[in-house]
């Protein structure tokens, strides 16, 4: 299918060709499928609806991702979005355990790349520091297969508060 559009000012005719038929799905309506995702904080935080830390506190998040798809999966990415008041700690002794292949560290997120066999679990340990006083949303974890948009998992964290010491 082709669509022809004319620019009203310059007059040339543009041809836009559809390479794939169908309706694009909105990312907001995708349902979790293929993974279960859970997150804990160490030292442990009381099970309330908010996470509270003090400025300068060092801790780690432990993200557990289980492959519930029933098939071996390759080329997965787990993105952990950090609240604005938290930063990744520079830990020279941090080692990423198998099945993690590559880690991309950014100011606002950390992305782990890995493969995961059916029924297996990946554990991501993320060293953090509470940096700036305030109330924030997060952290948030999104797991997805890079070449199959039907496979994804999501965990949205509670409110996170950093208090002044």
């Amino acid at each position: 299918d082709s669509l022809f559009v004319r620019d009203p000012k310059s007059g040339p005719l543009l041809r836009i060709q559809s390479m794939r038929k169908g309706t694009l799905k909105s990312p907001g309506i995708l349902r979790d499928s293929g993974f279960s995702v859970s997150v804990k904080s160490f030292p442990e935080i009381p099970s309330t609806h908010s996470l509270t830390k003090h400025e300068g506190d060092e801790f780690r998040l432990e993200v557990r991702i289980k492959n519930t798809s029933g098939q071996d999966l390759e080329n997965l990415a787990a993105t952990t979005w950090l609240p604005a008041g938290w930063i990744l700690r520079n830990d020279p002794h941090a080692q990423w355990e198998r099945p993690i292949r590559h880690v991309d560290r950014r100011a606002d997120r950390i992305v782990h790349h890995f493969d995961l066999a059916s029924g297996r679990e990946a554990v991501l340990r993320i060293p953090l520091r509470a940096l700036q006083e305030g109330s924030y949303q997060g952290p948030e974890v999104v797991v997805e297969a890079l070449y199959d948009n039907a496979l994804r998992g999501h965990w949205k964290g509670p409110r996170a508060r950093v208090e002044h010491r």
Side-chain angles (χ1 to χ4, degrees):
D1 289 337
S2 294
L3 171 67
F4 292 92
V5 179
R6 184 175 302 280
D7 183 338
K9 291 183 181 177
S10 62
L13 192 62
L14 301 175
R15 180 179 178 210
I16 301 171
Q17 185 174 5
S18 170
M19 302 301 288
R20 184 175 178 188
K21 293 182 180 182
T23 304
L24 293 175
K25 293 181 180 178
S26 165
I29 62 170
L30 290 175
R31 289 183 168 58
D32 288 359
S33 63
F35 306 101
S36 67
V37 182
S38 64
V39 177
K40 289 185 179 180
S41 172
F42 297 93
E44 197 65 49
I45 296 170
S47 59
T48 62
H49 292 290
S50 69
L51 249 99
T52 302
K53 294 289 181 191
H54 290 94
E55 288 176 323
D57 280 355
E58 293 186 350
F59 58 102
R60 71 180 158 93
L61 288 182
E62 183 177 275
V63 179
R64 292 184 171 272
I65 302 161
K66 185 169 184 178
N67 178 351
T68 59
S69 72
Q71 57 187 323
D72 292 349
L73 299 175
E74 296 180 345
N75 299 310
L76 305 177
T79 304
T80 304
W81 296 92
L82 302 175
W86 296 3
I87 61 167
L88 285 168
R89 261 187 1 231
N90 285 330
D91 186 353
H93 303 293
Q95 295 179 347
W96 308 108
E97 300 173 15
R98 290 188 71 189
I100 307 305
R101 274 197 324 261
H102 175 73
V103 179
D104 183 8
R105 298 168 62 109
R106 304 287 173 107
D108 61 342
R109 66 190 173 274
I110 185 166
V111 183
H112 294 83
H113 297 271
F114 57 100
D115 300 331
L116 199 55
S118 178
R120 300 299 303 255
E121 187 175 75
V123 179
L124 317 175
R125 292 179 179 87
I126 303 170
L128 298 167
R129 176 179 291 125
L131 182 66
Q132 186 174 350
E133 180 179 14
S135 180
Y136 311 98
Q137 178 62 49
E140 182 174 1
V141 180
V142 176
V143 183
E144 54 198 340
L146 295 177
Y147 303 106
D148 184 351
N149 65 359
L151 294 171
R152 74 186 318 259
H154 180 255
W155 185 87
K156 186 173 183 177
R159 294 292 298 171
R161 179 153 186 76
V162 177
E163 296 177 344
H164 185 67
R165 271 202 199 271

